Structure formats: C-alpha cells, structure tokens
C-alpha cells in the first residue's frame, strides 16, 4: 500500500513539476523581454512557420524594405515620456508640411517603430499627417522587462496621447493607429480618458484578449487543445513576476465604454491573430465603427495586399471625423 502511495505521489509530483516547467518556459517565451541572452532561446521556441508566413517580408519584401529605409532616412525628433509605472519610454516625431492631423503609431508584439508600420507611415506623412512613432515598453530604446499584451501598454498609449495633445498648439485632430498588439493596446486605451483632440482609432489585426490569443496559439501552433492549467500558471506568473493580470489585457470593457469612432481592419488569411478577433471587437464596440476584411491578406499585410483599398479607407475615415467632437 505504501509503495502504491509513493508511486502515485511521485507521478503527481512529476506531473506538476513538468507542468510548472512548461508554464515557466511559456511565460519566458511570451512575456519576458530580455534583450540580451534570451535571443537564441526565443528563436528556438518562437520563430515558427506562422510567424514567417504572416510577416510582410513574405511576399512584400521590396515594399517593406523600401518604406523602412525611407523612415530610417528621415530626420526625426527623439521624444520621451514616463510610464505610469516609472519606465522611460521613447518615441520619434516626424512633422509634415501643412499638417492636417496627428497620427500616433503603435507597433505590434516585439515589433519596432520602423517595421510593418513604415509602409503606411510613409503614405500618411505624404498626406499631411504629423507622425509620432511609439516604441512599446521593452522595445527599441524604451525601458521595460515584460510585454503585457496591452495591460500596461494601454496606459502608455494614453500617456503618448497626452504628450501629443500638450504640444498640439493648433488643436489638430489626433488619431491612434495600432497594428496587432499595438492595435489591441489602442482599443484598450479607448475605454479610459483621452484628450478631446483624439477623434478616432484605427485597429489593424488586433486581438480581443491575451487569454484568447494564448488559447489560439496553444491550439493552432502547438496542438495543445486543453490548457486551463497552463493559463492559470501563466496568469500567476504574470501577476507575481510581471505585475499584471491576464484579464487586464482584454478589450471587452473598453469597447463597451469607448465613444470614439473605430476603423477595424483585418487580413482574411491571418493565422497569427485570427480575423474573428476583429469581428468580436467590432460587435462589442458601441461607438461608430467600420470593419474591413482584406481578401487574401495575412497578418500585418492588409496595407500591402490592397494598398488602394486600405489607403482610401483610412483617408475616408480621417475626412469623416476630422471635425467631429470627441469627449471621453
């Protein structure tokens, strides 16, 4: 009897030890953002076919590199703010001649200020938009150790909106434009106070919640179809190590409270953040809204796949709401 109990205890201990090891590795892979030392491990664990296939370099390398090089060549002003939790965050400001509006650009997960956003940034600048390129916490020159999937990035978006508003002497309309996780952060920020000059939001391929995105990744990338224990472990590690809860990275309540117009865009063939996320956000949104699904487009590729549709839709959105009254 004692031997059976010992064997059972050993099996249970082994199971929980293995589960904790998987949870810790998943947390390290997804949330931790150590710039040095983790690069090799992150590549081993995370550079999967879904990421390679969805990146604009796959099929649009010329357009991607040319627009990125254009951004790198511009003379931009360094900007800095302090986050609500004390991090020094960095951004770049690029003014436009005879500007009609400001656009704050919020890049995606582990992205860069001059990555996939560059393609539209060049177009927007050529069409009289002042640009503020955010560098998300723990990306580029911004401080930080953890990616919080919008839980804290939403407050960073709010701070950048205030920063621009305080320097917007002509009271030009301001728009928040995000891609992927940057889009989700913008949507989450919209549920809280923003300067009145913020007239609208553009959310390109944003997810609905961190929990849902973790489930989709586990299910479709790693074929782990039932992961409640892993999610609980992730939530505990996020809480006690990174200082946030997964429930804080969710657009639901913000979409119910937001009063500003939202343009949702998503690629039909996106297998990184599935299009159903934008459908869900669109359905939850109580403000004026528009949803555009770009045929054949993958993650972050909608502007490349059909630039005419994308650019026309964005400019139409600006023209419609530039003169609107937006109070929150």
């Amino acid at each position: 009897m004692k031997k059976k109990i010992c064997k059972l205890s050993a099996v249970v201990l082994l199971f929980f030890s293995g589960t904790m090891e998987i949870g810790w590795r998943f947390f390290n892979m997804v949330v931790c953002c150590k710039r040095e030392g983790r690069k090799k491990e992150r590549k081993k664990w995370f550079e999967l076919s879904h990421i390679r296939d969805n990146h604009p370099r796959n099929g649009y390398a010329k357009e991607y590199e040319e627009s990125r090089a254009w951004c790198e060549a511009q003379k931009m002003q360094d900007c800095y703010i302090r986050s609500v939790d004390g991090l020094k965050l960095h951004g770049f400001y690029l003014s436009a001649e005879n500007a009609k509006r400001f656009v704050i650009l919020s890049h995606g997960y582990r992205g860069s200020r001059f990555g996939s956003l560059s393609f539209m940034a060049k177009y927007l600048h050529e069409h009289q938009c002042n640009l503020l390129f955010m560098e998300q916490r723990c990306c580029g020159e911004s401080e930080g150790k953890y990616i919080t999937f919008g839980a804290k990035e939403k407050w960073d978006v709010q701070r950048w909106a205030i920063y621009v508003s305080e320097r917007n002497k002509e009271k030009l309309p301001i728009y928040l434009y995000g891609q992927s996780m940057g889009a989700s952060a913008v949507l989450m920020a919209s549920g809280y106070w923003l300067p009145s000059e913020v007239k609208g939001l553009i959310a390109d391929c944003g997810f609905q919640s961190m929990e849902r995105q973790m489930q989709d990744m586990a299910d479709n990338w790693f074929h782990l179809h039932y992961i409640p224990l892993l999610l609980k472990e992730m939530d505990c590690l996020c809480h006690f190590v990174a200082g946030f809860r997964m429930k804080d990275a969710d657009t639901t309540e913000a979409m119910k409270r937001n009063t500003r117009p939202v343009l949702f865009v998503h690629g039909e063939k996106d297998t990184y953040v599935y299009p159903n996320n934008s459908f869900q956000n669109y359905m939850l949104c109580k403000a004026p809204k528009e949803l555009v699904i770009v045929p054949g487009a993958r993650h972050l590729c909608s502007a490349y796949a059909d630039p005419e549709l994308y650019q026309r839709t964005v400019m139409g959105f600006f023209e419609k709401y530039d003169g609107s009254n937006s109070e929150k």
Side-chain angles (χ1 to χ4, degrees):
M1 186 66 179
K2 287 184 178 180
K3 287 185 178 180
K4 288 184 177 180
I5 293 174
C6 288
K7 285 183 179 180
L8 181 60
S9 299
V11 170
V12 171
L13 182 61
L14 185 63
F15 172 77
F16 278 103
S17 297
T19 304
M20 285 301 297
E21 174 67 15
I22 293 172
W24 178 253
R25 283 183 173 272
F26 200 58
F27 172 80
N28 264 333
M29 177 184 74
V30 172
V31 176
C32 292
C33 192
K34 297 177 182 177
R35 302 167 203 263
E36 302 296 335
R38 294 211 54 82
K39 195 171 182 180
K40 290 183 179 179
E41 182 175 349
R42 188 164 69 241
K43 183 169 183 176
K44 179 180 176 182
W45 274 80
F46 208 59
E47 285 195 357
L48 305 171
S49 61
H50 291 277
I51 299 174
R52 293 194 307 271
D53 293 346
N54 279 278
H55 197 279
R57 284 196 187 96
N58 178 23
Y60 309 103
K62 182 176 181 291
E63 296 92 331
Y64 177 85
E65 295 300 342
E66 285 180 352
S67 59
R68 186 171 181 174
W70 178 87
C71 285
E72 294 284 359
Q74 303 308 302
K75 293 182 179 179
M76 301 193 190
Q77 176 186 341
D78 290 288
C79 307
Y80 296 92
I81 61 169
R82 282 284 171 187
S83 69
V84 293
D85 51 345
L87 299 177
K88 186 179 181 180
L89 304 179
H90 177 255
F92 282 109
Y93 171 65
L94 179 62
S95 62
E97 190 174 349
N98 300 317
K100 292 184 176 180
R101 63 190 67 85
F102 282 85
V103 180
I104 299 176
L105 301 166
S106 175
H107 67 74
Y109 178 78
R110 295 193 192 278
S112 68
R113 72 258 180 176
F114 303 146
S116 59
L117 279 166
S118 298
F119 187 70
M120 274 303 292
K122 181 175 184 292
Y123 174 84
L124 292 172
H125 185 257
E126 291 170 348
H127 288 75
Q128 299 173 284
C129 296
N130 293 330
L131 304 179
L132 190 287
F133 295 82
M134 294 175 52
E135 287 196 307
Q136 301 282 13
R137 53 179 57 217
C138 64
C139 293
E141 296 180 38
S142 291
E143 294 178 345
K145 294 181 179 179
Y146 306 106
I147 299 170
T148 72
F149 286 77
K152 293 186 178 181
E153 288 84 357
K154 64 189 174 191
W155 303 117
D156 302 339
V157 170
Q158 183 192 54
R159 284 293 180 98
W160 280 117
I162 294 170
Y163 176 91
V164 170
S165 175
E166 290 173 346
R167 289 155 180 80
N168 182 15
K169 303 305 181 184
E170 297 178 352
K171 298 300 178 183
L172 297 174
I174 300 171
Y175 292 88
L176 309 180
Y177 174 19
Q179 291 185 348
S180 194
M181 190 193 80
S184 299
V186 162
L187 294 177
M188 293 175 204
S190 73
Y192 301 90
W193 183 87
L194 290 169
S196 60
E197 298 98 312
V198 177
K199 303 299 182 182
L201 324 167
I202 301 173
D204 186 336
C205 58
F207 55 78
Q208 196 266 323
S209 70
M210 179 182 180
E211 182 174 346
R212 175 173 179 167
Q213 187 63 14
M214 293 300 100
Q215 288 176 323
D216 286 346
M217 288 166 57
D219 188 9
N220 297 290
W221 296 17
F222 303 107
H223 307 291
L224 301 173
H225 306 300
Y226 189 68
I227 58 166
L229 182 58
L230 179 59
L231 289 176
K232 287 185 181 296
E233 288 177 9
M234 277 285 290
D235 189 47
C236 287
L237 289 167
C238 288
H239 179 46
F240 292 108
V241 179
F244 74 100
R245 304 303 296 261
M246 287 176 65
K247 67 179 181 180
D248 299 326
D250 191 308
T251 64
T252 302
E253 293 305 315
M255 288 294 87
K256 292 177 181 178
R257 293 196 298 265
N258 172 50
T259 60
R260 289 175 170 80
V262 186
L263 171 60
F264 297 96
V265 183
H266 218 113
E268 177 196 21
K269 299 295 185 181
D270 192 339
T271 59
Y272 191 96
V273 176
Y274 289 92
N276 281 341
N277 284 272
S278 283
F279 279 111
Q280 183 69 19
N281 284 326
Y282 176 82
M283 294 303 295
L284 288 167
C285 183
K286 303 300 182 184
K289 56 192 176 181
E290 182 178 353
L291 173 62
V292 177
I293 302 297
V294 180
R298 293 171 278 107
H299 190 63
L300 301 174
C301 293
S302 293
Y304 298 86
D306 194 339
E308 183 180 349
L309 170 63
Y310 198 103
Q311 293 164 6
R312 184 177 69 249
T313 303
V314 169
M315 293 309 296
F317 184 74
F318 289 156
E319 290 165 6
K320 185 174 183 179
Y321 295 108
D322 273 350
S324 65
N325 293 319
S326 299
E327 294 289 344
K328 179 67 184 170

